[in-house]
Amino acid sequence: MTLEEKMGQLAQYPSQWSDTGPSVPAGRKEDVRAGKVGSFLSHYGAEATQEMQEIAVTESRLGIPLLFAYDVVHGYRTIFPIPLGEASSFNPDLARRTARAAAREATAGGVHWTFAPMIDLSREPRWGRVMEGAGEDPYLNSILARARVQGFQGPSVAADTTVMATAKHFVGYGAPQAGRDYHTVDISKRTLHEIYLPPVYAALDAGARSVMPGFNEIAGIPMHAHDRLINGLLRNDWNWDGVVVSDYTAIWELKKHGIADTDLSAGIQALEAGVDVDMVSGIYGDTLATGVQEGRLRLDDVNRAVRRVLRAKWDAGLFEDPFRYGSPEREDEVILSDSHRDLARTAAQQSMVLLKNEDEVLPLGDGVETLAVIGPLADDARTILGEWAGAGRAEDAISVLDALQNRTGVDVRYVPGLPDVRSTDMSGVDDAVDAVRQADAAILVLGEHYSMSGEAASRTSIDLPGRQQDLADAVTATGTPTAAVLLNGRPLALSTLDDSVPAILEAWYPGTEAGPAVADVLFGEVNPSGKLPMTFPRETGQIPIFYNHKNTGRPPVQDQDYTSTYLDTHWTPLYPFGHGLSYTSFAYGAPKLNKGSITINDTLRMTVDVSNTGDRAGTEVVQLYVEDSTASVTPRVKELRGMKRVHLSPGETKTVRFAVTPEDLTFIGPRMRRIVEPGHFHLHVGTSSADVQTSTFQLTGSTTPIPVTEISSPTQ
Ligand code: GLC
C-alpha cells in the first residue's frame, strides 16, 4: 500500500442527503477510485451501498472494500423506543432483541457498522443526549451496554446480519458543565472510575469492536488527543485493540480546543493518541501523510491504525465477499416486518412508566365512550420516533391520536389546544375545554418536540415547554377525569403537573408503534411495568440530583436546620430512580438472608416474597441495592446491584432470589484500586430506590483491604 492509500483507509466521509436518499458526490467517487476513502458515514440502502462497493472493489488499484457506518441507535427503519425509554424496562433481554432486529434491518441495507450503543451515563437532564443513553446508574448502564453490544454484534460480526458495535462516547461526555452540550467536563478521577467508566468497560467486555471518543475534554485533555485514556487505559490496561473512530470533525476541533494550531498538529496528536479513523474532518486523508514525510509522525503508528481498519473489514467477511451485506430482497423481507413491528410495540409497552395514578383514573374503563384527546403532540407522528431515528419515517409510524381513533367503541374528540408545544398562543384552549367538558375522560398528550432533545439540544429549564401546563390546568379544572401522557426525551420537572393531574404516564418517545402501545396501556390491555432509569427532580435547580448520592456530614433532614436541604424546595426528587407504578399492587415480605455474615469466599443469598395483592396481573421490577455502612472512602447511600422482572397473577406470590458476592461490595479504594473491605453492609430491596426494606450483614476477614483480582469494572 502506498502512504496515500494507507491514509485513505483512515478517512471516513459522509454521504450527501437528497429526497431520494443518500448519495455520494462525483468527486468523492473519484476519491474512492483513488483509494482515498476507507469508509462512509450515513450511506445506506442495498442499492446505494452496492454501487459504491462496486467502484471500490473493481475500480481502485487495490480493490479494498469499503465499510458503511450509520447511527443505528434505536432502530434502522423500524424504530424502537429511545434508549432512555427502553432502559425504563430494566429488561436487558429486550434491549438485546431490539438491537438484534435493528442489525438485521441495517445489514439488509448494506450497513456494516453502527455508531451505537451510546453508553454515556448521565445525571444531567438539561443535556439533550440523555435520550440516547441508559440514565444515571453504572450498574443498569453496564447491563444494558452489554445487552446492546450483544444484540448488534450477535455471536459474530462475520454474520451478514450483524454489525460492528461502537461504544460511544468515550468518556464522560454526559457530564457537561451546566448541561450545555459539548461543554467542558471536569470530574474527579474517582468519579470517572466509579461512575462513568463501568459502562465502557462492560461494552468492551461484551466484545464491542469500536469506540468513539466524545467531543469533550476531561480535566484539560480533549478526548480525541487523550493518549492516557485511549492507548493507556483502553488498549494497554484493558487489552482492547478495536477501531477508534473520531466523532464528526472532532479531530479538526482540537484546534478549537486550543491544543493544536494546525490541521497537521491536530491529526498527529489524534493518531498518536490512538484515534484510528477520522470522521469527516479530512485531516487524515488530506494532510497526515505530510507528517510522516517530515518525520513528525511514525509510520508504525499509521500502520497500526491501518491494520485495525483492515482487520475490521476482514472480520466482517468483506475481503471474502465485499457484497455479502445489502440485498434488496432482504430489505423487502425484514424491513418493517410484522415481527419487528410487534417487537417495537412490546418494547414501547415495557418502556412506559406510570408515575402516578390517583383515583384509578387509569386504565380507562368501559364507561369511557367519549374521549377528549388534547395536545399538539397527540397527532405528531415524527416526534414519537425521537432523535437519532436512523432511517425511520413518520409515515411508517402510528401516532397516539391515530391509535385512539382506531379503537372501536370510543368516540375520540381531538383538540390540539396549542399550535405547538413551544407556543404561547392560548387561543385554542377554550375549544379544548369544551371538548373535555363533553367527554367521559380526557387524555392530555404533553411533552417535548423531538427536536428538543438529542444532540445540541440542551435546555436551561426542564419544565414542560410553552403553555402546556396552563393547558393542563384548564383541562383539569373541568372536573373530567384526566390523565397525562408524556412524550419527552429527558426527565422533566413536573411538580406543577403532579399537583394538577391525577394520572401521569411517562411514554418517552416510544417509536414506530407508539400509538398502539400507548392505547394498550391507557385501556389496560397492558399493565405498565416500567421504572425510572433517571431521577425526576422537583425543580431544575436541584440538578444534579441522583439516587446514589453521598450521605455528607450533615445528611438532609427536611425542616431541620443546618442539614443539607433547601429553603424553597423539598430536597428529595419528585419521582426517584427506580420509581414506577402498576395498575395492580404488590406487597413485599420481609427479606431473608441465608447467613448474617460472609467471608471473601462466600456468597450471600437473599430471598424476598413478592405478592400481587390487586385484581390484575402485572410485572414488578424488584430492585436490590447495596450500602456499605463504613469504608475508607465515603460510601454512597445505596447502589443498584440487582434487578428482577417478576410477573404475578392476581393473588400470586413468588419468592425472588438474589445472590450477593464480595464483588458486589467492591469500590474504588483510596489508592484508586478496586477493593473490598470487611465490615457491615445493608441490603435494600424494594420497588424503587426510595421504597425499600433493609437487612444487614457482615463481611468478615482480614482487617486490611482485600484487593479483588477479578475486576468486573475498571481500576486505575
Ligand atoms: C454526531 C454524534 C455521534 C454520531 C456522529 C455521526 O455528532 O456525536 O454520536 O455517531 O456524529 O453521526
Side-chain angles (χ1 to χ4, degrees):
M1 292 176 79
T2 65
L3 181 58
E4 187 173 73
E5 286 166 334
K6 288 179 179 178
M7 294 305 181
Q9 287 304 307
L10 309 185
Q12 181 177 107
Y13 297 102
S15 187
Q16 306 302 310
W17 284 84
S18 67
D19 294 343
T20 56
S23 65
V24 172
R28 197 61 75 202
K29 288 182 182 174
E30 280 314 307
D31 289 341
V32 170
R33 292 187 178 96
K36 293 182 177 178
V37 183
S39 54
F40 274 100
L41 156 69
S42 301
H43 194 69
Y44 58 86
E47 200 173 317
T49 52
Q50 299 287 29
E51 179 212 5
M52 289 313 301
Q53 197 68 293
E54 184 76 28
I55 294 173
V57 169
T58 63
E59 300 180 36
S60 72
R61 187 177 77 89
L62 296 174
I64 298 174
L66 295 163
L67 279 170
F68 294 108
Y70 192 35
D71 292 281
V72 181
V73 178
H74 55 107
Y76 174 75
R77 181 78 184 277
T78 304
I79 303 303
F80 302 103
I82 56 170
L84 189 62
E86 185 177 75
S88 305
S89 69
F90 278 61
N91 187 348
D93 181 56
L94 177 70
R96 193 176 296 110
R97 290 167 59 206
T98 59
R100 195 87 196 76
R104 286 185 188 286
E105 291 195 359
T107 48
V111 174
H112 308 121
W113 184 7
T114 181
F115 294 140
M118 190 266 211
I119 43 103
D120 293 294
L121 182 147
S122 187
R123 307 150 148 185
E124 183 44 85
R126 291 173 294 184
W127 186 53
R129 298 194 77 164
V130 293
M131 55 74 60
E132 262 179 281
E136 70 191 44
D137 177 68
Y139 179 86
L140 181 61
N141 264 275
S142 298
I143 284 182
L144 292 177
R146 281 181 193 280
R148 287 168 174 159
V149 167
Q150 290 162 355
F152 284 128
Q153 296 190 162
S156 161
V157 290
D160 61 4
T161 58
T162 60
V163 292
M164 188 162 76
T166 306
K168 76 178 186 182
H169 304 80
F170 180 64
V171 61
Y173 178 33
Q177 191 174 304
R180 184 154 55 93
D181 204 355
Y182 314 125
H183 206 336
T184 302
V185 172
D186 197 348
I187 50 184
S188 71
K189 195 172 185 177
R190 172 169 300 286
T191 301
L192 184 66
H193 281 273
E194 286 179 357
I195 301 296
Y196 294 95
L197 279 172
V200 180
Y201 185 86
L204 301 189
D205 193 45
R209 308 295 294 268
S210 177
V211 161
M212 182 187 296
F215 287 118
N216 58 291
E217 69 165 65
I218 287 259
I221 311 293
M223 283 313 303
H224 281 78
H226 212 301
D227 173 60
R228 173 70 193 81
L229 283 174
I230 298 176
N231 286 329
L233 182 66
L234 293 189
R235 300 201 192 282
N236 298 337
D237 294 358
W238 292 357
N239 195 28
W240 179 82
D241 195 30
V243 174
V244 174
V245 56
S246 84
D247 204 335
Y248 202 100
T249 68
I251 292 173
W252 178 87
E253 292 169 14
L254 291 178
K255 296 189 293 182
K256 292 291 186 183
H257 278 286
I259 65 157
D261 52 4
T262 64
D263 285 357
L264 181 56
S265 166
I268 290 171
Q269 290 187 64
L271 190 93
E272 288 180 341
V275 179
D276 302 309
V277 175
D278 169 6
M279 183 195 292
V280 177
S281 85
I283 290 175
Y284 280 17
D286 300 340
T287 309
L288 209 51
T290 310
V292 175
Q293 289 151 355
E294 293 175 355
R296 296 173 55 188
L297 176 65
R298 295 180 333 124
L299 183 57
D300 282 355
D301 288 342
V302 173
N303 290 341
R304 179 189 63 188
V306 174
R307 266 197 300 275
R308 291 192 190 110
V309 173
L310 294 179
R311 197 188 68 200
K313 297 181 177 185
W314 174 270
D315 290 346
L318 293 177
F319 282 106
E320 183 189 328
D321 174 5
F323 304 98
R324 57 203 303 269
Y325 294 72
S327 147
E329 297 71 28
R330 285 215 0 249
E331 285 180 316
D332 293 342
E333 178 196 339
V334 301
I335 287 179
L336 288 169
S337 66
D338 290 346
S339 65
H340 286 181
R341 276 191 175 272
D342 290 347
L343 179 59
R345 185 165 178 169
T346 299
Q349 292 162 352
Q350 290 194 21
S351 68
M352 292 181 204
V353 185
L354 184 60
L355 296 178
K356 72 177 291 192
N357 190 26
E358 287 167 358
D359 313 329
E360 295 196 332
V361 167
L362 293 177
L364 300 173
D366 298 338
V368 174
E369 293 176 1
T370 307
L371 182 66
V373 177
I374 309 297
L377 292 181
D379 192 22
D380 183 340
R382 174 61 191 86
T383 279
I384 53 181
L385 302 182
E387 269 291 10
W388 296 111
R393 298 176 192 170
E395 61 262 28
D396 301 331
I398 304 170
S399 72
V400 173
L401 180 63
D402 288 346
L404 293 174
Q405 285 175 330
N406 290 338
R407 279 192 77 88
T408 53
V410 178
D411 174 19
V412 170
R413 307 275 174 80
Y414 170 57
V415 180
L418 294 165
D420 62 61
V421 294
R422 297 182 182 88
S423 174
T424 56
D425 172 2
M426 298 287 285
S427 59
V429 172
D430 291 346
D431 288 349
V433 168
D434 289 346
V436 171
R437 281 211 173 87
Q438 297 165 46
D440 300 316
I443 297 297
L444 275 163
V445 183
L446 307 170
E448 298 173 309
H449 184 266
Y450 78 92
S451 62
M452 300 175 81
S453 71
E455 185 174 351
S458 296
R459 294 179 63 203
T460 56
S461 159
I462 60 169
D463 292 346
L464 272 177
R467 301 296 294 273
Q468 296 181 94
Q469 183 59 54
D470 300 294
L471 175 64
D473 292 343
V475 164
T476 51
T478 65
T480 299
T482 298
V485 173
L486 298 180
L487 300 176
N488 49 296
R490 58 162 53 84
L492 297 174
L494 300 170
S495 295
T496 310
L497 188 72
D498 185 73
D499 288 341
S500 64
V501 176
I504 303 175
L505 178 69
E506 175 56 78
W508 307 107
Y509 296 125
T512 304
E513 288 287 325
V518 168
D520 293 337
V521 173
L522 288 179
F523 282 91
E525 275 94 56
V526 170
N527 188 352
S529 58
K531 299 286 185 179
L532 291 180
M534 204 167 168
T535 298
F536 276 47
R538 300 174 189 276
E539 303 296 340
T540 300
Q542 290 180 276
I543 297 169
I545 178 172
F546 41 87
Y547 87 93
N548 53 351
H549 59 83
K550 300 293 187 84
N551 216 18
T552 80
R554 295 192 175 188
V557 178
Q558 196 60 33
D559 304 326
Q560 183 172 321
D561 280 350
Y562 303 105
T563 68
S564 181
T565 56
Y566 298 100
L567 292 176
D568 53 357
T569 300
H570 200 288
W571 73 273
T572 56
L574 180 64
Y575 306 122
F577 176 87
H579 170 75
L581 303 177
S582 171
Y583 292 151
T584 188
S585 51
F586 299 106
Y588 283 67
K592 298 185 181 71
L593 304 182
N594 68 332
K595 49 180 82 169
S597 71
I598 60 171
T599 68
I600 187 71
N601 304 310
D602 287 339
T603 295
L604 182 73
R605 302 197 182 282
M606 174 216 256
T607 60
V608 60
D609 286 350
V610 181
S611 305
N612 179 342
T613 51
D615 56 7
R616 180 188 292 266
T619 297
E620 168 70 324
V621 178
V622 181
Q623 300 152 51
L624 177 73
Y625 299 86
V626 170
E627 176 190 359
D628 192 339
S629 63
T630 310
S632 53
V633 169
T634 51
R636 299 177 186 283
V637 295
K638 55 172 70 79
E639 296 183 276
L640 185 69
R641 285 291 181 272
M643 56 196 209
K644 298 212 170 173
R645 286 175 60 88
V646 183
H647 184 77
L648 293 167
S649 303
E652 185 180 13
T653 295
K654 282 183 181 172
T655 300
V656 180
R657 304 175 190 287
F658 290 101
V660 178
T661 66
E663 183 162 343
D664 295 317
L665 311 178
T666 61
F667 64 97
I668 306 286
R671 287 197 299 282
M672 295 302 291
R673 300 293 300 172
R674 183 162 286 281
I675 61 171
V676 63
E677 291 176 344
H680 286 87
F681 292 82
H682 303 299
L683 285 184
H684 306 285
V685 64
T687 188
S688 87
S689 61
D691 184 353
V692 292
Q693 294 183 87
T694 300
S695 42
T696 300
F697 71 96
Q698 203 177 2
L699 176 69
T700 58
S702 67
T703 53
T704 55
I706 304 164
V708 174
T709 49
E710 291 305 313
I711 54 158
S712 65
S713 57
T715 57
Q716 176 76 343

